Amino acid sequence: MASNKAVAYKGAGVVEIIDTPFPTFELQDGPGVNPENVGRKVPHGVILRTVATNICGSDQHMVRGRTTAPTGLVLGHEITGEVIETGRDVEFIKVGDIVSVPFNISCGRCRNCKEGKTGICLNVNPDRPGSAYGYVDMGGWVGGQAEFVLVPYADWNLLRFPDRDQALEKIMDLTMLSDILPTGFHGAVTAGVGVGSTVYVAGAGPVGLAAAASALLLGAAVVIVGDLNEERLAQARSFGCETINVANGDPADQIEQILGVREVDAAIDAVGFEARGHGDGATAKEAPATVLNSLMDITAAGGSLGIPGLYVTGDPGAVDEGAKKGSLSLSLGTGWAKSLSFTTGQCPVMKYNRQLMMAILHDKIAIAKAVNAKAISLADAPRGYAEFDAGAATKYVLNPNGYLDN
């Protein structure tokens, strides 16, 4: 049996490289695997040799100990790989294909999948709609920060790149199709961004930068990115965004200095539940509802908020009892009075990934440059997690099998 090394969560602030079983076409018991999924047959799946797998801010929430993730959970949901074995029921995907794996697992058969709502598939997670690789409470499908990984419903889930050589040449861009580029794009689309829009993006992490780049791709006139981290704000400016540091005062005041008015047409929350307050001392105090309430203030009446930032129902490290179960102090009256629209939840990656693949292949978006992607070895994953947690303006891309130039 071939070996398989992977990145596993070992407790708050700790990840380690472990030996883990080589994938088979049957789900095995293990950390985080839903008992009802143990023994589940996957004849419709494929086994991938991982080409690239990225460290995501959502992974970081777990590694910080801010979720109920179990010790030993193999991490990783941003997967690009080469098919090395196909299950007996796979018809169209072939050995040797280079493919992108949507982070949300979907069956292609249920009502939600048939309606394009692949982020809330009804058949892959016994506990709730929606599933993902290597993520807490998502059904226990093993993560892809590993040398090899199993992908179910392969003919449905996988996006095959049309040309192997072209794909490998642009792989640092294409690896963003598994999550952050569609997620950022979804944030911009659901915020109503279009030609001539003024847009505010809260958060200059990789998803925020992807949302900003997506807003520009959609024709926004001005994209303003807000954050506390000056290095990340400089990264946003590198591809044409305006920026504000929310530690320096009310975002509305700073937006007015840029636009001449205190509101934008569209707003995107790329921060999520670990938000911090705005103004003096903002770096020190966590305030999980701050971003959402701020966006309601600065979005013009009748506008929309795209909310790709992660919010959870279980946060043991939250600042108050309500936030520990996902209950936040929202000024919903503000949103109601301004007739604002809100879109939350997992991005349905398959709704966008082919179009965004074409945009990458034809040089319409340089997403790896926008998020400052950097390839590192699988063994360097603990360092990547630590540097990302410390605020590095870098999207770390793991290279388990030597396809990338580190």
Side-chain angles (χ1 to χ4, degrees), residues 3-330:
S3 64
N4 188 20
K5 293 191 179 299
V7 181
Y9 170 65
K10 288 293 188 176
V14 181
V15 296
E16 293 180 2
I17 310 304
I18 65 167
D19 292 310
T20 194
F22 191 85
T24 67
F25 294 105
E26 179 178 321
L27 290 188
Q28 307 298 316
D29 198 7
V33 177
N34 190 299
E36 294 182 42
N37 266 349
V38 175
R40 185 170 180 167
K41 302 293 193 295
V42 191
H44 42 69
V46 300
I47 295 171
L48 301 182
R49 180 186 296 116
T50 304
V51 171
T53 178
N54 314 330
I55 295 175
C56 179
S58 298
D59 298 320
Q60 197 73 64
H61 293 305
M62 289 188 291
V63 172
R64 289 187 188 121
R66 295 298 298 268
T67 72
T68 56
T71 299
L73 182 72
V74 173
L75 300 168
H77 56 270
E78 298 192 6
I79 307 163
T80 307
E82 179 176 6
V83 178
I84 61 167
E85 187 176 353
T86 62
R88 72 167 189 266
D89 294 343
V90 176
E91 185 175 0
F92 304 113
I93 295 294
K94 306 298 183 186
V95 170
D97 286 345
I98 305 292
V99 294
S100 178
V101 184
F103 80 87
N104 29 35
I105 304 166
S106 56
C107 71
R109 295 152 166 80
C110 71
R111 171 181 175 174
N112 285 350
C113 285
K114 290 180 178 180
E115 293 177 355
K117 302 172 184 175
T118 54
I120 45 174
C121 174
L122 300 174
N123 288 331
V124 287
N125 183 356
D127 282 342
R128 65 179 72 173
S131 192
Y133 303 89
Y135 209 83
V136 59
D137 296 332
M138 286 293 186
W141 299 86
V142 177
Q145 288 177 12
E147 293 173 312
F148 302 93
V149 65
L150 171 70
V151 173
Y153 304 102
D155 282 329
W156 165 255
N157 277 305
L158 293 178
L159 175 68
R160 185 180 66 84
F161 300 137
D163 181 88
R164 179 189 177 89
D165 292 339
Q166 182 188 36
L168 292 175
E169 180 181 341
K170 290 183 174 286
I171 200 66
M172 291 295 282
D173 292 290
L174 293 171
T175 190
M176 305 304 164
L177 291 172
S178 57
D179 184 356
I180 68 162
L181 181 53
T183 293
F185 192 82
H186 181 61
V189 168
T190 55
V193 176
V195 174
S197 296
T198 58
V199 183
Y200 177 69
V201 180
V207 169
L209 295 172
S214 296
L216 293 171
L217 182 64
L218 288 165
V222 182
V223 178
I224 304 168
V225 179
D227 204 292
L228 297 159
N229 183 317
E230 283 293 344
E231 185 182 359
R232 290 179 174 180
L233 291 174
Q235 186 63 32
R237 290 192 294 273
S238 74
F239 59 93
C241 299
E242 302 283 348
T243 62
I244 63 173
N245 189 320
V246 298
N248 295 336
D250 186 344
D253 293 337
Q254 298 185 67
I255 287 169
E256 186 174 22
Q257 294 175 20
I258 297 169
L259 297 178
V261 295
R262 298 172 62 82
E263 293 182 322
V264 293
D265 300 323
I268 302 166
D269 174 5
V271 177
F273 72 103
E274 288 192 68
R276 297 185 180 275
H278 297 160
D280 293 340
T283 56
K285 185 177 180 181
E286 188 169 308
T290 296
V291 169
L292 292 172
N293 286 331
S294 174
L295 295 191
M296 285 189 275
D297 284 336
I298 65 177
T299 304
S304 298
L305 276 61
I307 310 175
L310 176 68
Y311 289 87
V312 296
T313 56
D315 175 10
V319 294
D320 57 54
E321 290 303 312
K324 287 182 180 180
K325 56 184 180 182
S327 180
L328 308 182
S329 297
L330 295 179

